[in-house]
Amino acid sequence: MRSLWLNTLTKQSLYRLSTKRYSTNVEPKEPVVKTKSIPGPKSIELKKQLDSVQATGTIQFFADYEKSIGNYIYDVDGNILLDVYTQISSVPLGYNHPRLYKVFNNEQNLKTLINRPALGVFPGKEWPEKLHSVLLNIAPKGLNKITTMMCGSCSNENAYKSIFIWYQNKLRGNAPLTEQEKNSCMINIPPGAPKLSILSFKGAFHGRTLGALSTTHSKYIHKLDVPSFDWPIASFPEYRYPLDENVAHNKKEDEKCLSEVQDLIQQYASKNPVAGIVVEPIQSEGGDNEASPEFFRSLQAICKKNGIALLIDEVQTGGGSTGKFWAHEHFELESPPDVVTFSKKLQLGGYFHNDDFIPNEPYRIFNTWMGDPGKVLLLEEVVKVIQEEKLLANVDVAGKVLKNGLLSLEKEFPHILNSTRGRGTFLAVNCTNTKVRDQIIGALKLHGIQTGGCGEISIRFRPALIFKEYHANIVLDRFRKVLQGI
Amino acid sequence: MRSLWLNTLTKQSLYRLSTKRYSTNVEPKEPVVKTKSIPGPKSIELKKQLDSVQATGTIQFFADYEKSIGNYIYDVDGNILLDVYTQISSVPLGYNHPRLYKVFNNEQNLKTLINRPALGVFPGKEWPEKLHSVLLNIAPKGLNKITTMMCGSCSNENAYKSIFIWYQNKLRGNAPLTEQEKNSCMINIPPGAPKLSILSFKGAFHGRTLGALSTTHSKYIHKLDVPSFDWPIASFPEYRYPLDENVAHNKKEDEKCLSEVQDLIQQYASKNPVAGIVVEPIQSEGGDNEASPEFFRSLQAICKKNGIALLIDEVQTGGGSTGKFWAHEHFELESPPDVVTFSKKLQLGGYFHNDDFIPNEPYRIFNTWMGDPGKVLLLEEVVKVIQEEKLLANVDVAGKVLKNGLLSLEKEFPHILNSTRGRGTFLAVNCTNTKVRDQIIGALKLHGIQTGGCGEISIRFRPALIFKEYHANIVLDRFRKVLQGI
């Protein structure tokens, strides 16, 4: 019954074709901008077509993903932009990477795409091996369990649920469930649906579904008009840069925020006890706000002292662009965080955790798909390429060039730029104000560089892991031209 | 720059190979059960391997998706089950459908898979056309806007947000946002984060993220230990069967529940005003609980009268298995529902709506991926096959055979079975109690039939749309044998 659809001969000729093809399909030498404005006329026409079907206010342009290659995104008007924003930081290996192209050049993988299982009930025979070889291979140190999901919001939502279940289980001890617990949760009230909370930080972004959104505080437009849980929100450090010239101020920031965390835990103990704290290693959407390794180590200590879980949200930071696969590796925590969520560059979503966060009973953390094995196949290849091509080392090299260049630009244009910061190629710089920031992002695009904003006044750089030193130099060169024109 | 990876010759030979292959790759004549119990020894071994990585309490067996074909799922122990549960109702065309296999036999489609865009910012050039030709092609009558998502929970969560935004916008009129609104929503409090609610029904299932879960009330294990919004919950009709012998009772049920809805709207007006009502056309996870077309028409009238939105959740019912593409078409509503959510058989998630539910400002309903164009390519082919092969008519024919057969079994085994119900092949039957129900589901599996439970005492049938009369007869024959053995 086994299909012979792709016989060996055909497989080999396909392989030759694809290898041959990709040896000639290379990046352009530099960006090309053909239209006076972006979106150009063809993008504007497509936007009109889309407008009759859905909201289009967020669309920057329409891309040609058949032509896009490596670090360059092609639009429908013939513009070729060096992409250092990469679909909101979600493209690990650039466009049309030949190794990804080959993933579905394979009968078994193709069948995985068209026979999507309910992974929690009828997983395919290869699932345990894939989880071991792909996901445990990249697991943060000390976390040996993985729950797969599909996107960042779902990952955080389900991680929160795991934390609530863990917390209540601790309170309950080994006591059996009461009828009151079973019945009250069905109508959304305590004790079955307890008044618990997740503590988050001002400026944080953890997603936009209603639980995740209650911990998101980066922009009002994300939250306006949506009901929210009354959960505690602490201040996040607001550092001054460069770090080595602002040690005292920044240390004070750490202390102030940590003391606020401790106060909020006490304050909420009687109304919505804190079961967990969620934090990004670098607040991304909120403005690339950093906190020190010491801050994170102290935060973990507060969690341990209060018996609450520490969830590190690596949806944007995970996958290598800080120079380590997980950004929290930079913090040298005393013990592993309790839960680490991921998505974006990792193709699917999910969270790593330890045994404590596996519920006692089945079906407590569950949904129809529980992730997507087709995306795991892509991730498998992504991870192989990262390891074989030593892309984390590449990130360090290219990141240093980009960061040093930004620091130089800061010095050249102190009235426009300041506060260059970040790790690896995960970098940002502040502008004088929002207007200037938006002006620069627009001008950079017309100079062939696709960046993105974050927070109120920051430009963020999120190139793919294949971004090299010479790409950094192109970015810096174009950036200088833009700044000269302001 | 355009890749020639699949040249014409290769494309054609691939096509011939695949066509040839599938002409011989046919369903078995009947189920085959080789092991004494399911999961068999190989599944149990794989489960052990998976156990070291994640929770496995919900796993029934490990499948071989390379071998599975049409209505038959193959497990790793050589068992071949006639699958009338289809991955919790999420497989439209059965396993390894040749038309789906061909979707990624295409350079452009393959590139769609490996260049996943942030659809809300940089959609591909083909996106507007795909939305028109694929999604608007199946849009519920009267709804001309589509917001794409990835799964059922996300679809409901974002549909709720659209409803809240719409509701507040009505209240606000054209007044500009106040600073108080902007600032308060950032810290989760009114007026920016208003106290609004979505009314749901007892027995409902709308997903498991925290917003969706506040409207889910089918089983305590889904909800226990998770904080919840205080949102109103009305009773859902509890019908007696057969419908034509219980008209008075069922009508009374409708009236009781509708009056409860009206009361709850008043009751919550002063604390958490109801902005929308969410309802399934058939409560699926909750036990295949039906309500009459009159019930739904009256519910819509209540919504209109109170200025609140009606959201019909077609995540499980949508896609054809009730004999119509959308189950709510059976209700002949006076006007379209305001929002219709979908996922599962439709491969991706999302919701249809009208212009009123497009927010005024960009980025209010948004996330990184906003769906998955690779899944739209699959949906495109699914819809073509449904239309070309007239699968909705097939569902009617096969469904009648299955339903009449279940009614006969009810008469043969009245001490075990009752309350056969449903539309098309979307059918269910009740058992005397939970223990008997679970016993039957287990025995059916050992007789080669994969079904699923729902509610406390029901067995649900969710075959693929390619399920034929002769498959129904196999199911009924095996079911009779199981009942004889009880």
Side-chain angles (χ1 to χ4, degrees):
Chain A
M1 193 58 69
R2 194 160 184 286
S3 163
L4 295 166
W5 179 79
L6 283 176
N7 64 25
T8 312
L9 189 69
T10 313
K11 268 186 194 163
Q12 286 177 349
S13 63
L14 277 177
Y15 180 81
R16 277 198 303 273
L17 269 168
S18 80
T19 310
K20 191 181 162 201
R21 179 61 209 153
Y22 275 99
S23 59
T24 59
N25 204 7
V26 293
E27 286 189 347
K29 284 220 169 117
E30 55 175 13
V32 178
V33 177
K34 292 189 174 171
T35 57
K36 279 186 193 158
S37 56
I38 297 177
K42 286 184 186 163
S43 272
I44 289 171
E45 178 53 38
L46 284 167
K47 200 168 165 178
K48 268 185 215 153
Q49 287 174 32
L50 191 57
D51 222 22
S52 64
V53 197
Q54 60 181 208
T56 59
T58 54
I59 287 176
Q60 297 198 18
F61 58 76
F62 286 80
D64 189 328
Y65 291 110
E66 286 180 87
K67 292 181 182 162
S68 298
I69 184 77
N71 291 278
Y72 287 87
I73 185 166
Y74 287 53
D75 82 359
V76 289
D77 288 286
N79 299 305
I80 305 175
L81 307 182
L82 177 52
D83 190 359
V84 292
Y85 189 45
T86 60
Q87 312 293 331
I88 320 179
S89 198
S90 67
V91 179
L93 303 181
Y95 299 102
N96 284 310
H97 196 284
R99 290 281 293 273
L100 297 186
Y101 207 97
K102 276 163 47 191
V103 169
F104 297 107
N105 231 344
N106 169 310
E107 185 197 358
Q108 189 181 0
N109 291 354
L110 212 46
K111 286 193 168 179
T112 298
L113 283 183
I114 63 170
N115 295 303
R116 188 176 187 181
L119 282 167
V121 197
F122 310 102
K125 60 184 190 301
E126 51 292 308
W127 189 237
E129 195 279 321
K130 287 281 179 221
L131 287 187
H132 275 102
S133 67
V134 182
L135 281 154
L136 282 198
N137 179 22
I138 54 168
K141 203 178 153 192
L143 301 183
N144 62 343
K145 292 285 181 293
I146 170 75
T147 301
T148 48
M149 292 284 156
M150 283 167 66
C151 70
S153 284
C154 287
S155 302
N156 280 328
E157 291 268 346
N158 282 282
Y160 296 177
K161 285 171 61 177
S162 284
I163 288 171
F164 292 133
I165 290 168
W166 161 83
Y167 188 88
Q168 287 298 92
N169 201 46
K170 279 199 305 172
L171 286 188
R172 194 179 284 123
N174 289 317
L177 295 176
T178 65
E179 285 307 303
Q180 201 197 1
E181 284 179 306
K182 292 181 192 174
N183 296 335
S184 58
C185 74
M186 292 291 271
I187 51 170
N188 298 1
I189 62 171
K195 299 269 179 210
L196 292 178
S197 66
I198 299 288
L199 184 147
S200 56
F201 289 92
K202 288 176 190 162
F205 184 93
H206 301 292
R208 289 161 163 270
T209 48
L210 269 64
L213 192 63
S214 295
T215 57
T216 284
H217 319 282
S218 50
K219 297 192 182 90
Y220 79 84
I221 206 74
H222 303 162
K223 292 175 67 77
L224 184 72
D225 297 341
V226 184
S228 185
F229 289 105
D230 173 17
W231 291 353
I233 311 157
S235 298
F236 195 76
E238 295 183 15
Y239 285 172
R240 289 186 193 146
Y241 293 86
L243 292 175
D244 53 9
E245 292 172 23
N246 291 281
V247 173
H249 168 89
N250 295 346
K251 199 174 171 211
K252 228 162 146 184
E253 276 294 304
D254 281 2
E255 283 161 6
K256 186 195 82 178
C257 297
L258 290 165
S259 131
E260 233 178 82
V261 168
Q262 186 59 61
D263 289 350
L264 282 166
I265 293 170
Q266 304 311 326
Q267 200 180 312
Y268 273 72
S270 56
K271 55 173 183 176
N272 291 330
V274 177
I277 293 179
V278 62
V279 66
E280 296 153 276
I282 299 170
Q283 286 191 338
S284 306
E285 180 68 21
D288 273 31
N289 309 315
E290 297 182 311
S292 65
E294 295 73 26
F295 174 84
F296 285 97
R297 291 200 290 265
S298 302
L299 193 64
Q300 184 174 53
I302 291 176
C303 285
K304 285 188 189 296
K305 193 182 104 190
N306 290 280
I308 65 188
L310 178 62
L311 189 175
I312 298 198
D313 175 346
E314 294 247 23
V315 169
Q316 186 151 169
T317 50
S321 53
T322 68
K324 295 190 184 287
F325 199 89
W326 301 106
H328 76 265
E329 293 174 50
H330 293 284
F331 306 151
E332 299 184 347
L333 297 172
E334 282 196 9
S335 57
D338 296 294
V339 184
V340 173
T341 53
F342 62 85
S343 186
K344 288 188 181 263
K345 281 195 186 59
L346 279 74
Q347 312 295 307
L348 83 163
Y351 52 106
F352 291 100
H353 50 98
N354 62 37
D355 295 283
D356 295 343
F357 293 86
I358 289 193
N360 291 343
E361 306 85 1
Y363 287 110
R364 299 198 63 178
I365 299 290
F366 184 83
N367 57 49
T368 296
W369 284 319
M370 295 295 290
D372 187 342
K375 304 295 183 199
V376 174
L377 296 175
L378 286 171
L379 175 59
E380 178 174 33
E381 204 62 23
V382 166
V383 172
K384 277 186 193 164
V385 172
I386 291 175
Q387 292 172 344
E388 287 167 22
E389 300 187 4
K390 300 189 173 46
L391 291 182
L392 300 192
N394 175 65
V395 162
D396 269 338
V397 173
K400 267 189 199 111
V401 175
L402 186 58
K403 192 174 187 180
N404 287 335
L406 291 171
L407 288 165
S408 298
L409 290 176
E410 248 189 55
K411 281 188 189 137
E412 274 182 69
F413 305 93
H415 54 298
I416 310 180
L417 292 187
N418 64 77
S419 303
T420 294
R421 61 199 179 277
R423 297 172 187 274
T425 56
F426 198 103
L427 301 171
V429 63
N430 284 358
C431 306
T432 329
N433 57 48
T434 307
K435 202 180 147 195
V436 168
R437 188 268 311 266
D438 293 347
Q439 191 186 346
I440 291 175
I441 289 177
L444 274 169
K445 188 180 299 195
L446 291 175
H447 281 74
I449 310 295
Q450 176 69 46
T451 59
C454 62
E456 297 296 318
I457 54 170
S458 305
I459 300 173
R460 61 178 146 175
F461 297 89
R462 297 290 189 273
L465 306 175
I466 55 163
F467 180 84
K468 306 272 182 194
E469 208 176 320
Y470 61 86
H471 297 113
N473 287 324
I474 295 173
V475 172
L476 293 164
D477 175 60
R478 306 284 170 125
F479 204 170
R480 177 172 288 108
K481 288 200 177 85
V482 165
L483 294 167
Q484 283 164 343
I486 287 207
Chain B
M1 193 59 63
R2 194 161 185 284
S3 162
L4 294 167
W5 179 79
L6 284 175
N7 65 24
T8 312
L9 189 70
T10 313
K11 269 186 193 162
Q12 286 177 351
S13 62
L14 278 177
Y15 181 83
R16 277 198 304 274
L17 271 169
S18 80
T19 310
K20 189 180 163 201
R21 180 62 210 153
Y22 275 98
S23 59
T24 58
N25 203 8
V26 292
E27 286 189 346
K29 284 221 172 118
E30 54 175 16
V32 177
V33 177
K34 292 189 174 171
T35 56
K36 277 187 195 158
S37 57
I38 299 177
K42 286 185 187 165
S43 272
I44 290 171
E45 179 52 38
L46 284 167
K47 201 168 164 176
K48 266 185 217 153
Q49 287 174 31
L50 192 56
D51 223 22
S52 64
V53 195
Q54 61 181 206
T56 59
T58 54
I59 286 176
Q60 297 198 18
F61 57 77
F62 287 80
D64 188 328
Y65 291 110
E66 285 181 87
K67 291 182 182 163
S68 298
I69 184 75
N71 291 276
Y72 287 87
I73 186 167
Y74 287 53
D75 82 359
V76 288
D77 288 286
N79 299 305
I80 305 176
L81 308 181
L82 177 51
D83 189 359
V84 292
Y85 189 44
T86 59
Q87 312 293 332
I88 320 179
S89 199
S90 68
V91 179
L93 304 180
Y95 298 102
N96 283 310
H97 195 284
R99 289 281 292 274
L100 297 187
Y101 206 96
K102 275 163 46 190
V103 168
F104 296 108
N105 231 344
N106 169 311
E107 185 196 359
Q108 190 180 359
N109 291 354
L110 211 46
K111 287 194 167 178
T112 299
L113 283 182
I114 62 170
N115 295 303
R116 187 177 189 182
L119 282 168
V121 197
F122 310 103
K125 60 184 189 301
E126 52 292 306
W127 189 238
E129 196 279 322
K130 287 281 180 223
L131 286 187
H132 275 102
S133 68
V134 182
L135 281 154
L136 282 198
N137 179 22
I138 54 168
K141 202 178 153 191
L143 300 183
N144 63 345
K145 291 286 181 293
I146 170 75
T147 302
T148 48
M149 291 284 156
M150 282 167 68
C151 70
S153 284
C154 287
S155 302
N156 280 329
E157 291 268 347
N158 282 282
Y160 296 176
K161 284 172 62 177
S162 284
I163 289 171
F164 292 132
I165 291 168
W166 161 84
Y167 188 90
Q168 287 298 92
N169 201 45
K170 279 198 306 172
L171 287 187
R172 193 179 285 124
N174 289 317
L177 295 176
T178 65
E179 285 307 302
Q180 201 197 0
E181 284 178 306
K182 293 181 191 173
N183 296 335
S184 59
C185 74
M186 292 291 271
I187 51 169
N188 297 2
I189 61 171
K195 299 269 177 208
L196 293 178
S197 66
I198 299 288
L199 183 147
S200 56
F201 289 92
K202 288 175 191 164
F205 184 92
H206 301 292
R208 290 161 162 269
T209 47
L210 270 63
L213 191 63
S214 294
T215 58
T216 284
H217 319 281
S218 51
K219 297 191 182 90
Y220 79 83
I221 206 74
H222 303 161
K223 291 175 69 75
L224 184 72
D225 296 341
V226 184
S228 184
F229 287 105
D230 173 17
W231 290 354
I233 311 157
S235 298
F236 195 75
E238 295 183 14
Y239 285 172
R240 288 186 193 146
Y241 294 85
L243 292 175
D244 54 9
E245 291 172 23
N246 291 282
V247 173
H249 168 88
N250 295 346
K251 200 175 169 207
K252 229 163 145 182
E253 276 295 305
D254 281 2
E255 283 161 6
K256 185 195 83 178
C257 297
L258 289 165
S259 130
E260 232 178 83
V261 168
Q262 186 60 62
D263 289 350
L264 283 165
I265 293 170
Q266 304 312 325
Q267 198 181 312
Y268 273 72
S270 57
K271 54 174 182 175
N272 290 331
V274 177
I277 293 179
V278 61
V279 66
E280 296 154 277
I282 299 169
Q283 285 190 338
S284 306
E285 180 68 21
D288 273 30
N289 309 316
E290 298 181 311
S292 66
E294 295 73 27
F295 173 84
F296 285 97
R297 290 199 291 266
S298 301
L299 193 63
Q300 184 174 51
I302 291 176
C303 285
K304 284 187 188 296
K305 193 181 104 188
N306 290 280
I308 65 188
L310 178 62
L311 189 175
I312 299 198
D313 175 347
E314 295 248 23
V315 169
Q316 186 150 169
T317 51
S321 53
T322 68
K324 295 191 185 287
F325 199 90
W326 301 106
H328 76 265
E329 293 174 51
H330 292 285
F331 306 150
E332 298 184 349
L333 296 173
E334 284 195 9
S335 57
D338 296 294
V339 184
V340 173
T341 52
F342 62 85
S343 186
K344 288 187 180 265
K345 281 195 186 59
L346 278 74
Q347 312 294 309
L348 83 165
Y351 53 106
F352 291 102
H353 50 97
N354 62 38
D355 295 282
D356 295 344
F357 293 85
I358 290 193
N360 292 343
E361 306 85 0
Y363 287 111
R364 300 198 63 179
I365 300 289
F366 184 84
N367 57 49
T368 297
W369 284 319
M370 294 296 288
D372 186 343
K375 305 295 183 197
V376 174
L377 295 175
L378 287 171
L379 175 60
E380 178 174 33
E381 205 60 24
V382 166
V383 171
K384 278 186 193 164
V385 171
I386 291 175
Q387 291 173 343
E388 286 168 23
E389 299 187 4
K390 299 191 172 44
L391 291 182
L392 299 192
N394 175 65
V395 162
D396 270 338
V397 173
K400 268 191 197 108
V401 174
L402 186 57
K403 190 173 188 178
N404 287 335
L406 291 171
L407 287 164
S408 300
L409 290 176
E410 251 189 52
K411 281 190 188 133
E412 275 182 69
F413 304 93
H415 55 296
I416 309 181
L417 291 187
N418 65 77
S419 303
T420 294
R421 61 199 179 275
R423 298 172 186 275
T425 55
F426 198 103
L427 300 172
V429 64
N430 284 357
C431 306
T432 328
N433 57 47
T434 307
K435 202 180 147 195
V436 169
R437 189 268 311 266
D438 293 346
Q439 192 186 346
I440 292 175
I441 289 177
L444 274 169
K445 188 179 299 195
L446 290 175
H447 281 74
I449 311 294
Q450 175 69 46
T451 59
C454 63
E456 296 296 320
I457 54 171
S458 306
I459 300 172
R460 59 178 147 175
F461 296 89
R462 297 289 190 274
L465 306 174
I466 56 163
F467 180 83
K468 305 274 182 194
E469 209 175 320
Y470 60 87
H471 296 113
N473 287 324
I474 295 173
V475 172
L476 293 164
D477 174 61
R478 306 285 170 122
F479 203 170
R480 177 171 290 106
K481 288 201 178 86
V482 165
L483 294 166
Q484 282 163 346
I486 289 210

